Amino acid sequence: MTVSLLRPTLAAALLGLNLGAIAAPAPAPITFDMTPRAGQHQRQLIDMQATIKMRTEAGPEATEAQRAQIAQGAERLAQMGPMQMSMQMQQTVKVGQPDADGWLPLTVAAGGKTGQLQMGGKTVPLPNRPDQNLSFAARFNPKDFAFEMQKVEGMGELNELMRSQGNTMITEALQLSKTLSQHTMKVGDSVDVPLNMALPVPVPGAGGSLNGQVHYTLAKVERGVAYFDLSMDLKMDITAPVPAPAASASEAASAPAADAAPKTMHVIVSGSGKGNSSLRLADRLALASKLAMGMQMTMNLPDNGVMRMDMDMLMQSKGESLAKPAAAPAKKKS
């Protein structure tokens, strides 16, 4: 008797589950579109925490005197222990209204807010120098994704270099955005965003590059917000000549200047990480992101030493819209 009474109850429950599954449609496909839009005014607050371990060792060409000096420096680094660094930054993007030809004016400002360094039991605030802040004005045409950098401020002697190279880098990024904006994604789909650019190095004969990739997987879409799982891989390679120290009179007489091969500083950085991010679809605001990375750096030093650095870094960001809401239409008088 009990079993017969339970049967209709179970049947109703199972039917309800099936109807619920049928009534809840899958989220509509989205586009991974981050291109500027008229009226956007957004700010990203970025918090970075890092633990850095450094060590030095003698290179193969080091003399006995250099090896002894490098060993002393390595001992001092070991005594100080890991270095803890924290930094808060912000970036603001503002997009105006289109002109007669459809171009959108935009301004971007980025810079540090606060930061500190802990090393050897001491805490030192990081300097907040105005010349470390960057801002630029540009214009963007959403019809063909053309971009023109117009003015760069805050980088000192790098302003002109940033204006020319920055124009190329952002143009390439926008062309990628154009491709992504035409590609729809559903939950479970992935997309790779390359990070390839020439790095500005303000030294004659120097050069650098950054190569990497960010892998986004759409995890879910809820209440107009897209949530992504992400992973990142990157590598930086920088080479620059090292100024030769002034030679003494005896050294100059014993060794012709032509025999002195110029030294170069070579820096290699590699890293990988995982995290997540969220994007509000209505206004394309990056609401939040979190990325944990491990990075390794190798740099040769002028004294025939080698500096090695391991860094564990956590970067978190929070986005907010600064755009003023549209004014409500005035009510008609009765």
Side-chain angles (χ1 to χ4, degrees):
M1 183 66 179
T2 304
V3 174
S4 62
L5 289 174
L6 284 175
R7 282 177 180 172
T9 306
L10 289 171
L14 291 172
L15 180 60
L17 288 174
N18 290 333
L19 289 175
I22 295 172
I30 69 164
T31 55
F32 194 76
D33 186 2
M34 297 291 289
T35 53
R37 295 186 176 188
Q40 278 184 333
H41 190 190
Q42 300 177 351
R43 176 167 59 200
Q44 290 289 325
L45 301 174
I46 305 163
D47 181 86
M48 184 184 77
Q49 307 289 329
T51 299
I52 304 169
K53 299 178 182 178
M54 296 184 295
R55 61 190 187 279
T56 58
E57 58 188 54
E61 299 180 359
T63 65
E64 289 301 321
Q66 288 174 332
R67 290 178 183 276
Q69 186 175 9
I70 292 169
Q72 292 177 358
E75 185 177 353
R76 288 193 294 268
L77 283 176
Q79 291 174 349
M80 286 189 291
M83 179 170 57
Q84 305 286 338
M85 182 174 66
S86 63
M87 184 182 300
Q88 290 74 45
M89 299 163 283
Q90 71 175 16
Q91 174 183 298
T92 304
V93 179
K94 187 174 184 179
V95 186
Q97 297 301 317
D99 62 16
D101 297 321
W103 287 84
L104 295 174
L106 61 89
T107 57
V108 177
K113 295 184 66 180
T114 60
Q116 64 179 22
L117 198 64
Q118 295 180 7
M119 190 171 185
K122 297 181 180 180
T123 300
V124 180
L126 294 176
N128 187 9
R129 293 164 43 190
D131 60 354
Q132 293 178 333
N133 299 328
L134 168 68
S135 64
F136 66 82
R139 65 176 190 160
F140 166 70
N141 194 328
K143 297 177 182 177
D144 57 3
F145 279 64
F147 177 85
E148 291 181 6
M149 184 86 72
Q150 296 172 316
K151 186 178 181 181
V152 180
E153 293 182 344
M155 296 295 287
E157 61 183 11
L158 286 179
N159 278 355
E160 182 58 30
L161 189 62
M162 284 298 298
R163 192 189 68 79
S164 59
Q165 293 195 9
N167 194 78
T168 301
M169 289 187 294
I170 296 176
T171 297
E172 292 176 354
L174 286 170
Q175 289 304 313
L176 175 63
S177 295
K178 180 180 180 180
T179 301
L180 292 176
S181 67
Q182 299 168 351
H183 174 71
T184 59
M185 297 179 67
K186 61 181 184 297
V187 172
D189 286 349
S190 298
V191 64
D192 292 324
V193 179
L195 298 174
N196 301 319
M197 65 183 71
L199 298 176
V201 182
V203 178
S209 63
L210 183 149
N211 299 284
Q213 181 174 270
V214 186
H215 183 78
Y216 289 89
T217 300
L218 182 58
K220 63 180 179 178
V221 180
E222 288 183 357
R223 298 180 180 180
V225 177
Y227 296 86
F228 296 88
D229 294 326
L230 61 90
S231 61
M232 174 188 285
D233 293 290
L234 63 83
K235 182 177 181 180
M236 287 190 290
D237 195 315
I238 301 172
T239 301
V242 177
S248 63
S250 59
E251 290 174 336
S254 60
D259 294 340
K263 293 185 177 181
T264 59
M265 179 181 68
H266 192 198
V267 182
I268 296 177
V269 180
S270 61
S272 61
K274 293 184 177 181
N276 51 67
S277 65
S278 56
L279 174 68
R280 190 165 68 195
L281 300 174
D283 57 358
R284 303 296 170 175
L285 172 66
L287 284 175
S289 69
K290 183 177 182 179
L291 177 66
M293 289 197 69
M295 301 180 68
Q296 298 78 43
M297 182 193 79
T298 302
M299 177 176 65
N300 64 315
L301 303 174
D303 60 354
N304 288 324
V306 178
M307 169 74 76
R308 301 190 188 279
M309 182 185 77
D310 297 319
M311 180 169 68
D312 293 321
M313 180 175 65
L314 177 64
M315 291 190 68
Q316 300 181 85
S317 69
K318 179 181 179 181
E320 57 182 341
S321 176
L322 306 178
K324 296 180 179 179
K331 294 182 178 180
K332 295 182 179 180
K333 296 181 179 180
S334 55

